[in-house]
Amino acid sequence: IFLIVLSILIILVIIDNSKNEIPTENKEIIIHDTNEQENEITLNNENNLSWKNLDNWPVIKYWDTLDWILWWDPVVIKEWDIYKMWLSGWKPFETPLVVKIYYASSKDGINWNIKKEPVFESEKDSWDSSSVETPSVVKVGDTYHMYYTWYDWDFKSGIYSIWHATSLDWITWKRDSNNPVVVPHDDPLKWWHYTAAEPGVVFYNNEFYLYYVSAKSNYPSWPGTWFWIMLATSKDASNFSNNQIAYSITSSYDKTKYRWYSTPSVYVKNDKFYLYHDIVYNLDWFEQIWIWSAISDNGLNFKELEVNIVWKTDTWWKSESVLAPTVIWDDWVEKMWFAWHQFKPDYNFGIWYIYK
């Protein structure tokens, strides 16, 4: 969000449409492989299975539950028979723009009840008093751990950091006294100097693996080097160390056109780490156009697994971006929720669901 909200505000000035209605014609999700086959694809994974969409409409969209709220950045976990989602929400006409974190629940992962009041928001006179967003949540024992991004309003400053909060009831959150838990490095020539944002956490072998997006300086050039996915680890959820590159731009990409990986989400199955992320295209503009995945035996040294799971097209519902995947393994089914948005012909933001 933090790199595109300015463009959103400009576009919203000319938008006068109100709540969107479901189109009368049948609109199908298009999921592509490298040969651009439509509707259903065979992907590059060990099971040779296909991602499918359940129906032809997002599970959460602009205006759902609350007027004027844009929904974004989902993270989903499942406890017993309840799916729990935390997601970013904000009103695009607010000045200054303030992003808050909301909670939603579902019995099937498709029909969601969004709690009207935010469960977490910026705190007056606190260092994270501007905005909080991109939540990532994991439950360890009886405690929920949320990691989230804080940023100031000078988006190009690179002052983005990752904060931590805990909860026993998933609604009331307490900030970590050690915040921020991951901050940009002081040395501009070292990785994780320019920004530390978009956390994705997983708990494995009694350790917190915190993935996030960062880069190093390429001064005096702008915007600097490509953004890669970093990893920091912690035994206590608060003190993180061992910051290192987990996944870098591979040879699949033309580095004159592709800028970075973003919005990492990780889960572990059979001692393998599965990483999902979006891909940013265009060195001059922030376009999140694909969702891909990678796999690792140790949480580092990821290798490409699935390509073009979902990608930006001229299709009505994803004409601008597809991003921020969150994936769980549930009853032998891999389930993904991700964010999308469009500006034309109608204005919409929301959350989509696919499964395999």
Side-chain angles (χ1 to χ4, degrees):
I1 298 170
F2 51 84
L3 293 177
I4 65 170
V5 288
L6 292 181
S7 63
I8 294 172
L9 291 173
I10 294 171
I11 294 173
L12 282 171
V13 171
I14 62 172
I15 296 173
D16 61 359
N17 63 295
S18 59
K19 188 180 299 184
N20 294 301
E21 295 182 354
I22 298 177
T24 55
E25 68 270 27
N26 184 27
K27 305 276 190 174
E28 292 189 348
I29 295 179
I30 300 177
I31 305 176
H32 291 263
D33 66 5
T34 52
N35 294 318
E36 300 190 7
Q37 297 171 335
E38 295 187 349
N39 299 327
E40 190 173 296
I41 65 172
T42 299
L43 295 165
N44 178 25
N45 73 350
E46 68 264 46
N47 295 320
N48 200 31
L49 297 177
S50 302
W51 288 92
K52 301 175 182 179
N53 61 286
L54 187 68
D55 55 30
N56 299 316
W57 194 245
V59 295
I60 296 176
K61 59 186 184 298
Y62 182 35
W63 282 76
D64 277 359
T65 302
L66 295 171
D67 292 351
W68 299 108
I69 292 289
L70 305 182
W71 301 114
W72 200 264
D73 300 324
V75 58
V76 175
I77 67 174
K78 186 181 181 184
E79 289 190 272
W80 301 103
D81 60 346
I82 300 296
Y83 295 86
K84 298 180 178 181
M85 178 189 291
W86 292 263
L87 65 168
S88 302
W90 79 100
K91 293 182 178 180
F93 294 104
E94 278 189 340
T95 304
L97 187 148
V98 177
V99 184
K100 303 175 183 180
I101 295 173
Y102 291 78
Y103 170 80
S105 62
S106 172
K107 290 186 176 181
D108 57 11
I110 301 162
N111 300 286
W112 291 90
N113 296 312
I114 304 173
K115 183 177 171 61
K116 291 185 177 180
E117 296 298 323
V119 296
F120 197 79
E121 56 187 305
S122 56
E123 195 172 62
K124 187 177 181 181
D125 299 325
S126 171
W127 199 46
D128 65 347
S129 60
S130 296
S131 275
V132 296
E133 63 167 44
T134 63
S136 181
V137 177
V138 64
K139 187 179 183 183
V140 179
D142 294 327
T143 303
Y144 296 87
H145 296 265
M146 177 193 292
Y147 296 89
Y148 60 95
T149 301
W150 169 88
Y151 61 92
D152 69 358
W153 294 114
D154 180 11
F155 298 108
K156 290 186 179 181
S157 71
I159 305 177
Y160 316 126
S161 56
I162 296 172
W163 288 49
H164 174 231
T166 56
S167 174
L168 295 176
D169 62 4
W170 49 263
I171 294 295
T172 304
W173 293 88
K174 180 180 179 181
R175 284 170 168 80
D176 190 332
S177 61
N178 194 43
N179 275 330
V181 296
V182 179
V183 296
H185 198 286
D186 291 336
D187 186 344
L189 299 180
K190 289 186 177 180
W191 282 95
W192 96 93
H193 163 73
Y194 187 83
T195 202
E198 299 178 343
V201 67
V202 64
F203 186 73
Y204 176 69
N205 279 352
N206 297 314
E207 193 165 17
F208 291 84
Y209 287 68
L210 182 60
Y211 296 88
Y212 63 97
V213 176
S214 188
K216 63 180 180 179
S217 175
N218 195 28
Y219 183 83
S221 299
W222 169 258
T225 59
W226 296 274
F227 277 56
W228 293 351
I229 294 174
M230 306 288 293
L231 169 66
T233 57
S234 173
K235 294 288 188 181
D236 63 4
S238 180
N239 296 282
F240 282 87
S241 60
N242 301 319
N243 289 272
Q244 54 192 305
I245 297 169
Y247 194 36
S248 58
I249 293 289
T250 70
S251 59
S252 297
Y253 305 97
D254 179 350
K255 291 185 178 181
T256 65
K257 297 179 180 179
Y258 295 91
R259 187 166 167 183
W260 64 62
Y261 298 148
S262 184
T263 61
S265 173
V266 178
Y267 77 89
V268 178
K269 177 170 68 77
N270 297 331
D271 295 322
K272 292 185 181 296
F273 291 74
Y274 292 82
L275 166 66
Y276 289 81
H277 60 91
D278 64 52
I279 297 169
V280 178
Y281 175 81
N282 190 335
L283 293 177
D284 299 318
W285 180 240
F286 193 85
E287 295 182 78
Q288 292 156 291
I289 64 168
W290 273 319
I291 293 175
W292 284 32
S293 70
I295 190 170
S296 168
D297 292 327
N298 61 3
L300 292 168
N301 308 313
F302 282 88
K303 297 180 180 180
E304 287 179 5
L305 180 62
E306 300 169 286
V307 299
N308 302 358
I309 298 172
V310 183
W311 73 342
K312 167 190 167 180
T313 69
D314 292 331
T315 309
W316 69 278
W317 61 273
K318 53 178 180 174
S319 61
E320 295 298 325
S321 289
V322 291
L323 68 155
T326 178
V327 182
I328 65 172
W329 178 256
D330 177 33
D331 293 332
W332 297 96
V333 178
E334 203 167 18
K335 300 178 179 181
M336 179 194 298
W337 297 261
F338 62 91
W340 60 278
H341 81 276
Q342 64 166 29
F343 292 135
K344 299 176 182 178
D346 299 310
Y347 181 75
N348 217 329
F349 279 65
I351 310 298
W352 209 284
Y353 168 74
I354 60 176
Y355 66 97
K356 180 176 69 177

